[in-house]
Every structure is written in C-alpha cells, then in structure tokens.
C-alpha cells in the first residue's frame, strides 16, 4: 500500500513539474515573440521616422533661396491719378536685404536669446527644456500668467515656421497640426546642422514680426524709436524683444491719431508692451549666465557684453521715447479692401501672377504696381466731411463713427471708400471697416421689396394698408411699429415708400415673399442675406448687409436697372450677381508688363428699366423732399434707421454718382433716441453729394425715363406706369391696360386683375385686405389725415419736436394747451400731416 502511495505522489510531483516546465517554456516563447515584435516595430517606426525626416529634410534650402519662390518684392497701390496709397509690406523683404548681426545692438541679441531661447547656442535646433518651461510658465498658475512667460519653440523652429510653412498652415490643429509641427522640427534640426548659429539668429531677427506691418528689427527700431537697430538701448531692445511672442497684443504701433497725420494718443497697446518689457528684463536677469557666454559676432574671441543686475533694474525705469511715425498709408481701409480684391481676382483667373507666385502671396510678394479706381482727392473730401459733421453732432447724437462709399454707376468704379471716421482711433474702433462689414441698413432695404412688387405688377399708385400689424414671434405676437407710432389707413405705394411706412413695407414683403425679395437683392449686388430666416422684417433691415454692396445695388437704379462692372471674383452661388464693383484699373508686374487692365465695363440688365425707374421716380420726388435732403440737382434717396438707433443710413444717387453713407458706433452701441437717419447721417450724405459733384464737375442731369415707361394723368398728377402693362392690384388708377392713352382710368372697387400668388413667408402673419376700397384720403392729390398715439413720457413739446412743428400748433389742433399732461393711448391730430 505504501508503495502505491509513493508511486502516486511521485507521479503527481512529475506532473506538476511538467506543467511548470510547459508554463515556463510558453512564457519564454511569448517573451521571445514580444521582444521580436518590439524589435520589428521599433525598426518599422525608425524606418518610418527616417522616411518622414528625409522627406521634410529634402525641402530645406537656405531661407533666401526659399523666399525666391514666394516673393519677388513689395507691391505698391496708387490712386487713379498716380498718387501712392501704400506699399504693401513684404514679410520677407529684410531677408533679401538683411542687416548683419554685427550691426545690431548687443542688447537686442541678449534680450532675444533670454526671452525666446536661452539655450540657442547649445541646443540642436529644438529647445526641449524650453518647451517644458514654456508650458509651466504660460499654462499654469505658477508662472507669470497665460501667455506671459517665455516662448516654447526655439528660435530655429520659429524661423522654420515663418519661412518654410505657408501662412494658412501655421494655425492648423489636429493631425495637420502635428504634421506641421513635425515638419518645423525636422527643418529646425537641419538648419542647425547646415548653418552657423549666428547666421540663423541673423535670419530670425531680420524676419520676425514686431507688431502691425513691421518685420525685422531694423524696421522696428526705425518705426518706434527713430534710430537704427545698432543704437537701441537696453530698455528699447527689451521692449522690442517681447513683442514677437504676440505681435498683435504687444503692438506699440497702435498709437491713435488718424490716417491724415493727426497727433498720436496713448493707448493700451503701449501699456501692454511696457508690461511685457518688464518681464523680458526679468528673464534677462534669470539667464545672465547664458548671456555672459554669448560671443561677439564681430570678434568671437570676445564676449558680446557684460551685463549686471543693476543695469537691468535701471533699464526698467528708463523712459521709452517713442516717435510719432504713423504708417505711410492713404485710405487704409480701401488699401486692405484692394488687397483682398486683387487676391480674389488672381484666384478667379482674371490675371496670371508673376513667376508662378501663389495668389495668396501675390500682393505682399508679387512686386505688383496696382492702379486703383480711388480718387484720393475725393476720398480726402469724404474723410474731412465725416470728421467735421460727426465732431459737430456727436454730443447730441451719441454717434461717433461714419462711413462713405461712392460709385460711378456708368462703370461700377469705386471713387471714394472711407471705412471709418479715423482709422487709427482706438476709442471709436476706427480700424473696423464699416464699408465691408455687416451692418443693418434699416429701411433702405424696402427698395428691394417694392421693386419686387413692381416686377409682380404693382405700380406707385397701388393701394396698400398702413394699419396696426402684428407678427407671430415664438409663442407671442410682436407689433410692427412705424417711426412715429401712428397709422394713415389706406395709402399708395408712393406714399408708403417715400415716407418709409413700416407696416406697409412688411405687408408688401408678405405679398411678394421673403425668398423672392432676397433673390432680387442678390441679383442686384447683395452678397449676404443667405440665412433665409430673417422673416418679414427683412424689409426693415432685420438682417445685415455691406455698405459697399448696398451702394452697388443702388447704382443699378441709377442705370435704370443695368449693372455695370467687371466679372465677379467672389465665390457666389447661382442667381447672385455676375459682376463686381471695380476697384482696380490696372496691374503691372515689377518690369512694367501689364497683367490686368480694366478698359470698359461689362453690363447686365438685372432689373426691367421701367421697374427701376418707378423706384427712382418715388425716391427723387417725394422721398428726398420728405427727408429734407434735396440738393442742387436731381437726386434720389432712401433713408434707413435700425432698431434703437444703432445704425443710420442714407442711400442716394444721381445719374452720375451713387453714394452710400452710414453713421453709428462700431461697437453697435445705440445712438441717442430720435437720431433718425435724415437728421443724423443725412447731413453727411447731403454735403458730400453736393461737394463731390462740384469736385468731379458733374452736370446737373435729370433722370431719363426708359422707353418702356409711360406717364399718365392720375388724380390730377402724372403717374408712372409700364407701357402696355395692366396693373395687378387696386390703386388710385388702373393704368394703361394696353390702350396707350394719356390718361389712366380710375380703378373700380374690387380687383381688376387676379392677384399674383406669392411665396408664403415662413412666419405666419395676419393677411392684409387684398382689395382695399379707395378712401378720399388715399388719392395722389389729397393729403392723408395724420394721427399720433401718445406713449409713456410724451409731452406736447416732445411730440411737436418729433414732427418738427410748433407746440402751439399741436395744442390748438387738439383743443389742449402746451402744458396739458398727455395720457398714454391718447390719439393726437398732427396738423399738416407732420413732416
């Protein structure tokens, strides 16, 4: 029995040992396979990394050679008479004509090394310790603050990014961002292997941005302190060394003043730059050992400089003697507009860029000579009128900014383009280009609504209701208010449009349809209004457009429906305008060879001449008279005031000149209550139109009726109709009805022709009466009775002032005294119908 037990125990031990050996063998095999797989993957990663490295490294050429493919030289823009507007800054200009490192202040070198890359002379092109330090200083609460510490990329990496990476790729993120960073790193490592440290530093200092349009230390020293870079003091060098980390934020060039050379005023830019300078000086103290090791570029056997903590502390208190050296630029907003337009023209194939330079670099580096359409004398006139008129009214209106665009309708050329009151004034956000930014244009949008209605068979004598109107908004209703909170009953389109009646315009929009109104606006030149959710109040300016586009659209009216300009370079959907405003007359390359020339405008008849003339007839007679903006020649205008008086607009034109004006505040803050466009921006438009016409020696020309217009007697006056075209809706007169007679027959009670169905608006609204019965007050010759509903806070004096009548007249018409306390809801009669 014992033998049996011993045999069983021996077999159990043998089985256990065998299992252990099997497990160990499998473990060894697994480990061997893992090591082998790791070795293979390491080799694969290494091979892949080597291939990536070689692919990036193969592109590394000397920076000056790289630049030859992206830059020929700086382009220059001129006005139409050959006056220089601006020389576009080429970021690579100083690399083609560099300042030697030995000709720079030693303080510049020391401050830059301490701030950007303290290990520059010892690292292989990538500052790994610097990256970790930058993350600690800039992204944690233990450093100076967010983006206030030293930079993370080495000087060599920054040079690689600025020279070898396209501008559009420098802010990429995700996989593209990783690839871009890898490329920068490889190029930086290659640069360090191929070139001496001082050569790389020289390239860097000649190319880095120092705020605004300033590139390279030499230009920065001249622009800010009026001296060559070799003469910069420690304090000045430290200030400039701090700017490249964020050239926009630390830009001391934003010094206020206008583009006309007005004295500069201090602003937050210099304060931020000063604060950054103190941080740079502290970094110089921290890296005194590294600074002491820097060799003199002119004599490597000597140290660059001997610097002490006391000298650095003293520099913190040294005054910074900035010079008032504004940019050498005329019409700045137009200059930037032209840069954008020339780039788009190149991309659209309107001209071939020289030497194969990319279109996005053709202005800054293509060496172009650009003759623009701008008349600098006229533009200066517009600038001065804006300044004088705003300065005289801003205390009353609380409107501190304005813009003007003037277009020649016959060709589509932009003659004047003022984007703000003063480009350099930070207190009014003067750098914001109002002419090309989206703004509400208020009731000037009604033109598109009524023009669409005319295309649908309406005429100026068509009847429309001015009665209380409510729109469904969310779960409630919103009332559409007129500017004077009153209603006139049934009126004509002529009266509704000329007196800017909101309820009538919204009813007209509901009839023609929002989509169809937007389609017309796009056809006439508007590039926005694409969202499709503005609702019926789109006709009141609920959605925003650009002043430069709105002016172009009104120039179409001046041409009786014809758009003139050059083929569009905008990326616009089908159905939008096919021509653009003209801002460039000629482009030549550096050798003088012509690349593009505007010789004659193309023309597209985008609106029927008769329908365009109907609008002009209203705007040039009743509308301009009602707004009290008549001038010394025939002219047409439409005013527009946005909600809460945030925008005031006057769009106007003669046969020879279309002018759009805007007034308000760039930060969208409201102007003073009661600042209607006719009294706010109106004087700017009126004065500019008169003085511009004199400056351009324009004739006093009447608007010419097109051949398809017929004037028929209607209610004792001449009314406008389209020849041989019956009217589609009731009005003061039926119209020609194909008779060709000289007198229009009266309209019977009830529709003469079926009302054209309109695209339903997306917002349900009360439907106005389709066939209003003419009332005695709705004819063209009988003035409407005018009423006003008293609101909270109104007084006899305030209501009288609103309608520009005497308080005594208002009191007498209503059987009250000038001291009577008005109860909200009381309806007052306005003598004479108001103004």
């Amino acid at each position: 029995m014992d033998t049996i037990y011993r045999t069983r125990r021996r077999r159990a031990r043998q089985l256990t040992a065998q299992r252990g050996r099997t497990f160990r063998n499998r473990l060894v095999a697994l480990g061997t396979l893992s090591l082998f797989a790791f070795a293979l993957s390491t080799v694969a990663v290494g091979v892949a990394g080597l291939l990536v490295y070689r692919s990036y490294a193969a592109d590394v050429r000397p920076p000056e050679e790289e630049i030859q493919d992206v830059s020929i030289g700086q382009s220059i823009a001129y006005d139409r008479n050959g006056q220089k507007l601006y020389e576009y800054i080429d970021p690579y200009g100083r690399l083609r004509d560099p300042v030697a490192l030995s000709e720079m202040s030693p303080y510049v070198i020391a401050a830059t090394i301490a701030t950007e890359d303290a290990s520059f002379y010892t690292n292989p092109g990538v500052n790994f310790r610097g990256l970790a330090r930058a993350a600690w200083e800039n992204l944690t609460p233990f450093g100076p603050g967010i983006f206030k510490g030293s930079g993370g990329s080495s000087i060599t990496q920054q040079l690689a990014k600025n020279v070898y990476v396209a501008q559009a790729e420098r802010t990429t993120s995700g996989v593209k961002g990783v690839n871009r960073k890898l490329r920068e790193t490889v190029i930086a490592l290659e640069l360090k292997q191929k070139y001496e440290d001082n050569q790389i530093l020289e390239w860097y200092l000649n190319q880095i941005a120092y705020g605004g349009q300033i590139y390279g230390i030499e230009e920065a020293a001249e622009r800010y302190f009026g001296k060559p870079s070799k003469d910069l003091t420690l304090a000045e060098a430290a200030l400039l060394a701090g700017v490249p980390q964020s050239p926009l934020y630390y830009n001391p060039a934003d010094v206020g003043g206008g583009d006309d050379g007005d004295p500069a005023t201090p602003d937050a830019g210099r304060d931020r730059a000063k604060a950054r300078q103190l941080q740079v000086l502290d970094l110089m103290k921290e890296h005194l050992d590294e600074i002491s090791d820097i060799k003199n570029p002119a004599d490597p056997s000597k140290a660059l400089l001997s610097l002490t903590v006391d000298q650095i502390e003293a520099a913190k208190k040294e005054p910074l003697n900035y010079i008032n050296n504004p940019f050498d630029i005329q019409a700045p907003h137009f200059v930037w507009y032209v840069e954008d337009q020339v780039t788009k023209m190149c991309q659209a194939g309107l001209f071939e860029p020289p030497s194969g330079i990319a279109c996005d670099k053709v202005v800054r580096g293509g060496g172009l000579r650009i003759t623009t359409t701008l008349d600098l004398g006229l533009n200066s006139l517009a600038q001065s009128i804006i300044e004088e008129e705003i300065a005289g009214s801003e205390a009353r209106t609380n409107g501190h900014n304005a813009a003007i665009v003037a277009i020649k309708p016959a060709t589509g050329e932009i003659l004047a383009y003022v984007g703000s009151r003063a480009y350099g004034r930070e207190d009014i956000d003067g750098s914001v280009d109002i002419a090309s930014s989206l703004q509400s244009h208020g009731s000037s949008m009604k033109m598109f609504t009524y023009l669409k209605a005319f295309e649908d068979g309406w005429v100026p004598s068509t009847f429309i209701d001015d009665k209380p109107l409510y729109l469904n908004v969310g779960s409630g209703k919103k009332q559409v208010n007129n500017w004077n909170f009153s209603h006139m009953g049934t009126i004509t389109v002529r009266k509704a449009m000329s007196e800017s009646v909101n309820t009538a315009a919204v009813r007209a929009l509901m009839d023609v349809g929002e989509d169809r109104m937007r389609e017309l606006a796009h056809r006439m030149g508007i590039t926005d209004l694409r969202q499709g959710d503005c609702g019926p109040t789109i006709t009141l300016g609920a959605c925003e457009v650009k002043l430069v586009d709105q002016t172009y659209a009104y120039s179409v009216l001046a041409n009786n429906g014809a758009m003139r300009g050059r083929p569009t370079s905008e990326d616009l959907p089908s159905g939008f305008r096919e021509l653009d405003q003209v801002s460039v007359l000629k482009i030549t390359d550096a050798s003088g060879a012509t690349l593009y020339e505007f010789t004659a405008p193309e023309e597209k008849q985008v609106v029927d001449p008769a329908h365009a003339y109907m609008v002009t007839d209203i705007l040039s007679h009743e509308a301009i008279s009602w707004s009290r903006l008549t001038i010394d020649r025939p002219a047409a205008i439409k005013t527009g005031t946005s909600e809460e008086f945030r925008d005031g607009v006057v769009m106007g034109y003669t046969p020879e000149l279309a002018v759009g004006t805007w007034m308000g505040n760039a930060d969208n803050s409201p102007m003073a209550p009661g600042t209607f466009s006719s009294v706010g921006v109106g004087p700017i438009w009126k004065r500019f139109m008169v003085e511009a016409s004199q400056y351009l020696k324009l004739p006093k020309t009447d608007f010419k009726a097109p051949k398809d217009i017929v004037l028929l007697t209607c209610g004792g006056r001449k009314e406008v109709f389209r020849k041989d075209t019956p009217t589609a809706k009731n009005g003061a007169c039926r119209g020609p009805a194909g008779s060709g007679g000289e007198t229009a027959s009266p309209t019977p009670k009830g529709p003469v022709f079926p009302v054209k169905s309109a695209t339903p608006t997306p917002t349900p609204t009360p439907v106005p009466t389709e066939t209003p019965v003419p009332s005695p007050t709705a004819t063209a010759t009988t003035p409407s009775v005018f009423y006003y509903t008293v609101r909270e806070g109104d007084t006899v004096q305030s209501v009288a002032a609103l309608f520009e009548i005497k308080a005594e007249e208002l009191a007498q018409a209503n059987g009250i005294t000038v001291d009577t306390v008005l109860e909200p809801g009381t309806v007052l009669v306005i003598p004479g119908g108001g103004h």
Side-chain angles (χ1 to χ4, degrees), residues 311-370:
Q311 287 175 309
I312 294 174
E313 288 297 326
K316 293 182 178 181
K317 301 175 183 178
E318 180 182 319
L320 294 166
N321 298 316
Y322 291 105
I323 64 167
N324 179 25
N325 187 14
F327 286 115
D328 183 16
I329 187 172
Q330 302 283 351
H333 284 124
F334 181 71
V335 162
W336 311 139
Y337 174 80
V338 166
E339 180 178 12
D340 178 66
Q341 290 299 301
V342 172
T343 300
K344 290 178 178 177
M345 289 167 66
C346 177
Q347 292 168 339
L350 297 184
F351 71 92
E352 288 294 326
S355 302
I357 290 178
C359 288
D360 61 348
K361 297 182 176 67
V362 73
V363 175
R364 295 284 170 165
L368 306 179
R369 300 298 178 262
I370 305 166

Side-chain angles (χ1 to χ4, degrees), residues 446 449-450 464-465 469-471 480-481 501-513 535-540 761 765-766 768:
K446 292 174 182 173
T449 297
Y450 287 117
I464 192 166
D465 276 348
L469 177 63
Y470 296 85
L471 302 177
V480 177
N481 292 311
V501 181
N502 289 345
T503 60
V506 173
R507 284 188 167 93
L509 188 281
M510 290 160 56
D511 191 293
V512 304
T537 54
I538 187 175
T539 191
L540 309 181
T761 58
T765 56

Side-chain angles (χ1 to χ4, degrees), residues 454-771:
F454 293 156
E455 290 187 340
D456 285 355
W458 296 30
V459 291
S461 57
T462 295
F463 284 136
I464 192 166
D465 276 348
D466 171 27
K467 297 176 181 177
L469 177 63
Y470 296 85
L471 302 177
N472 291 336
V473 179
S475 58
K477 291 182 179 292
K478 179 180 180 180
Q479 183 172 9
V480 177
N481 292 311
N482 290 327
W483 68 273
N484 55 9
F485 298 93
S486 296
H487 304 286
M488 295 181 283
T490 301
I491 58 177
T492 62
V493 165
R494 181 176 292 275
K495 189 172 187 67
M497 189 175 186
S498 63
E499 298 188 12
S500 206
V501 181
N502 289 345
T503 60
V506 173
R507 284 188 167 93
L509 188 281
M510 290 160 56
D511 191 293
V512 304
E514 178 189 344
D515 290 344
R516 299 176 69 240
M517 175 269 203
R518 286 190 295 111
E519 180 276 328
L520 174 61
H522 294 154
R523 198 193 329 151
M524 292 183 69
I526 301 301
T527 56
D528 301 291
L529 301 181
R530 305 191 196 191
Q531 56 271 54
D533 60 353
C534 300
T537 54
I538 187 175
T539 191
L540 309 181
C543 287
E544 300 170 323
V545 297
K546 302 181 184 74
L547 182 66
V548 68
D549 286 347
Q550 188 82 327
T551 307
Y552 193 37
Y554 271 79
S555 77
V556 171
L557 297 176
N559 292 328
N560 277 340
M563 174 178 285
R564 297 191 180 118
R566 63 162 174 81
T568 183
S569 55
E570 302 290 335
D571 184 16
L572 298 174
S574 175
F576 280 61
R577 74 187 193 204
E578 298 179 27
L579 302 177
D580 283 347
Q581 310 92 321
V582 182
S583 57
V584 176
L585 293 176
K586 189 175 183 178
I587 302 174
T588 63
D589 64 16
S591 67
T594 299
L595 303 178
Y596 169 86
E597 188 167 12
F598 176 78
T599 55
E602 293 192 17
E603 179 177 320
K604 299 283 184 182
Q605 191 72 40
V606 296
V607 176
D608 186 279
H611 300 145
Y613 185 77
M614 288 178 184
V615 174
T616 295
D617 190 67
I618 296 172
L619 301 186
S620 64
H621 290 95
E622 289 79 12
I624 194 168
S625 177
W626 182 77
S627 300
R628 297 186 175 183
L629 293 174
T630 53
I631 58 175
D632 62 345
R633 64 195 62 225
I637 71 154
K638 183 68 192 80
T639 58
T641 308
S642 68
E643 282 191 323
E644 297 182 333
F645 302 97
R646 296 181 187 276
D647 308 83
V649 173
V650 173
M651 308 303 303
Y653 54 96
T654 66
E656 294 79 23
L657 190 65
V659 176
T661 52
W662 174 94
M663 174 181 168
N665 297 305
D667 63 0
N668 202 36
S669 59
M671 294 182 285
T675 306
F676 292 99
S677 53
S678 58
V679 296
V681 70
I684 297 176
W685 178 89
K686 182 173 183 176
R687 183 178 163 190
F688 176 77
M689 183 61 88
V690 170
E691 295 186 25
S693 298
Q694 294 171 349
Y695 173 88
L696 296 171
K697 296 181 172 58
L698 300 179
K700 297 180 180 180
T701 309
D702 288 320
F703 292 105
K704 185 178 180 181
K707 294 180 180 179
D708 56 350
I709 274 290
V710 59
L711 299 178
L712 303 179
T713 301
C714 174
R717 63 158 292 157
K718 290 289 186 180
E719 190 52 277
V720 181
F721 296 92
R722 191 175 188 274
K723 188 176 295 185
D724 299 325
T725 304
T727 56
K729 290 181 75 70
N730 270 354
C733 299
R734 174 183 292 186
S739 66
E742 295 184 357
T743 303
S745 58
T747 300
K749 298 178 181 179
V752 180
F753 302 97
V755 177
K756 184 174 181 179
S757 61
T759 303
T761 58
T763 306
T765 56
V767 180
T769 304
E770 293 288 350
T771 56

Side-chain angles (χ1 to χ4, degrees), residues 99-106 109 202 230 296-299:
V99 175
L101 199 65
S102 58
E103 292 298 312
M104 299 178 192
S105 166
I109 299 172
E202 181 181 296
K230 64 184 178 64
N296 190 323
D299 185 357

Side-chain angles (χ1 to χ4, degrees), residues 121-139:
Y121 284 102
T122 58
N123 69 48
V126 179
N127 184 359
F128 296 105
R129 291 180 61 187
L131 288 173
R133 184 190 67 250
W136 178 266
E137 293 181 354
N138 292 289
L139 303 177

Side-chain angles (χ1 to χ4, degrees), residues 18-78:
Q18 184 178 356
R19 289 174 177 172
R21 284 194 300 273
T22 301
F23 176 76
R24 286 195 297 274
N25 290 338
R26 289 175 177 174
L27 187 63
V28 170
L30 180 62
T32 302
L33 288 173
S34 297
L35 288 172
F36 183 69
F38 177 75
L40 285 177
S41 63
T42 301
V43 171
V45 170
V47 171
L50 182 61
L51 292 175
V52 170
Y53 188 97
R54 286 183 174 178
S55 67
Y56 289 149
D59 295 334
V60 180
R61 298 180 293 168
E64 61 266 28
E65 290 183 16
E66 182 75 16
I67 287 163
Q68 294 303 317
D69 289 343
V70 298
S71 174
I72 295 174
Q74 297 180 173
S75 300
I76 304 175
Y78 302 92

